[in-house]
Amino acid sequence: EFRRVLYRSIKKILIFIGLRNPARGVKIDGKQKVEILLSYKNKINIFIETGTNYGDTINAMINNFEEIYSIELDIEKFNKVAKRFNGVEKLHLYHGDSREKIYEVMAVIKQPSLIWLDAHGSPFNLDNSPVREELDAVFKHYIKGHVILIDDARHFTVRDLREINNIASSY
C-alpha cells in the first residue's frame, strides 16, 4: 500500500512540473532522443524533421543519413542553421510552416524515410500543433514504409493520442 501511494505521489509531482504526461511517458534529453532516432534507422537513408530549432538533431544525424530534410518556421533560427551547415550538400533546409512545407519535402522523397515530427506549438495539443497536417502529407505519399516518430507526445492528451492513432489507421 505504501509503495502504491508513494508511486502515485511521485507521478503527480512529475506531472505537475511537466516531466510526465498522464497519457504518455517521461521527458528525455537530447542524447536519448538521438539514440531512439538512430535505433529506427535500420536501412533508411533519408531523415526528415520538422522543427529544426538550432540544428542539434541535424548535427547528430548528419553522418548517419545520405540526405536530411529539415523545416523551421522561425527565420532567425533558420538563418543560424543555414550558416552553421553552410556547404553541407546533403542537407536541405526549408523555411516556413511545416503544415505546408512538409508537402514540398515529401514531393522529392523517393524512398522510405525516418520522419521526426517536432514542430509543436504551446500549449501542446493537437489543435495547436501541425502534427495532423504533417501526418496527412506523409500518409498521402506514394512511398509506404516511412517510420514516423512524434516528439513530446507526453504533452498530448489521451484524446489527442487517440486521434493521432485514428489518423494513422485511416490511411
Side-chain angles (χ1 to χ4, degrees):
E1 178 64 28
F2 174 76
R3 291 172 105 176
R4 195 165 28 133
V5 171
L6 179 63
Y7 175 78
R8 277 195 226 139
S9 298
I10 291 171
K11 188 174 175 182
K12 285 179 183 178
I13 291 168
L14 291 174
I15 290 167
F16 179 75
I17 62 175
L19 293 179
R20 182 173 176 84
N21 178 292
R24 196 78 161 160
V26 297
K27 182 176 182 173
I28 59 174
D29 65 29
K31 183 180 176 185
Q32 290 169 311
K33 286 180 185 180
V34 168
E35 289 172 4
I36 290 168
L37 287 168
L38 290 175
S39 75
Y40 285 92
K41 184 185 183 311
N42 201 6
K43 296 178 182 178
I44 295 175
N45 296 311
I46 306 293
F47 179 74
I48 300 168
E49 74 170 340
T50 60
T52 309
N53 202 18
Y54 294 104
D56 293 337
T57 304
I58 291 171
N59 193 52
M61 299 294 134
I62 204 83
N63 294 320
N64 295 290
F65 292 88
E66 292 175 10
E67 299 287 328
I68 296 177
Y69 298 82
S70 188
I71 304 167
E72 178 55 50
L73 178 62
D74 183 291
I75 190 63
E76 290 179 20
K77 290 178 181 177
F78 175 83
N79 288 334
K80 285 181 182 180
V81 172
K83 185 176 180 181
R84 179 179 179 184
F85 294 101
N86 185 33
V88 178
E89 291 183 23
K90 65 177 165 180
L91 175 59
H92 311 279
L93 295 174
Y94 292 74
H95 171 254
D97 191 326
S98 61
R99 296 169 219 255
E100 301 161 6
K101 294 295 179 178
I102 191 73
Y103 288 95
E104 290 180 37
V105 171
M106 297 312 292
V108 298
I109 300 301
K110 301 196 179 352
Q111 59 183 290
S113 305
L114 176 57
I115 302 171
W116 179 237
L117 303 180
D118 190 18
H120 304 129
S122 183
F124 288 89
N125 63 54
L126 205 51
D127 296 329
N128 294 332
S129 169
V131 168
R132 186 181 286 117
E133 291 88 350
E134 293 168 348
L135 288 173
D136 184 62
V138 173
F139 290 130
K140 285 182 177 175
H141 193 249
Y142 73 97
I143 299 286
K144 302 304 174 204
H146 298 294
V147 175
I148 306 164
L149 300 172
I150 302 174
D151 191 26
D152 296 322
R154 72 187 187 287
H155 292 294
F156 290 112
T157 66
V158 172
R159 181 190 64 82
D160 291 338
L161 294 172
R162 283 190 189 123
E163 186 172 342
I164 290 169
N165 189 50
N166 290 338
I167 292 168
S169 300
S170 69
Y171 286 92

